[in-house]
């Protein structure tokens, strides 16, 4: 893995952790189960995108194909 790829993977992973921490501190008070499930899906999508980008750089950095 190149240094730039490792740095980008670490930055995207840190942004994913920050996103989860940010949204979990926000109060979301509702009695409806559907609203809680939609909020959980929203949170998973936002944070998951950062983790997916981090994983992409990790996978591309560990490519052992022919060069």
């Amino acid at each position: 893995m190149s240094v730039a790829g490792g740095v980008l993977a670490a930055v995207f992973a840190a942004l994913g952790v920050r996103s989860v921490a940010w949204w979990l501190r926000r109060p979301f008070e509702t009695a409806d189960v559907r609203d809680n499930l939609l909020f959980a899906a929203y949170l998973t999508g936002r944070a998951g995108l950062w983790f997916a980008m981090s994983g992409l750089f990790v996978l591309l950095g560990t490519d052992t194909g022919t060069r």
Side-chain angles (χ1 to χ4, degrees):
M1 176 181 289
S2 69
V3 174
V7 169
L8 284 172
V11 167
F12 283 132
L15 286 171
V17 171
R18 179 192 173 276
S19 179
V20 169
W22 173 267
W23 284 105
L24 288 179
R25 286 185 303 198
R26 300 291 167 249
F28 187 75
E29 299 171 4
T30 182
D32 192 11
V33 175
R34 183 180 299 157
D35 287 342
N36 283 324
L37 290 174
L38 287 173
F39 182 70
Y42 172 74
L43 176 63
T44 303
R46 283 191 64 102
L49 181 63
W50 293 115
F51 291 125
M53 290 300 295
S54 175
L56 176 69
F57 279 99
V58 169
L59 287 175
L60 291 177
T62 59
D63 182 26
T64 59
T66 59
R67 294 181 186 194

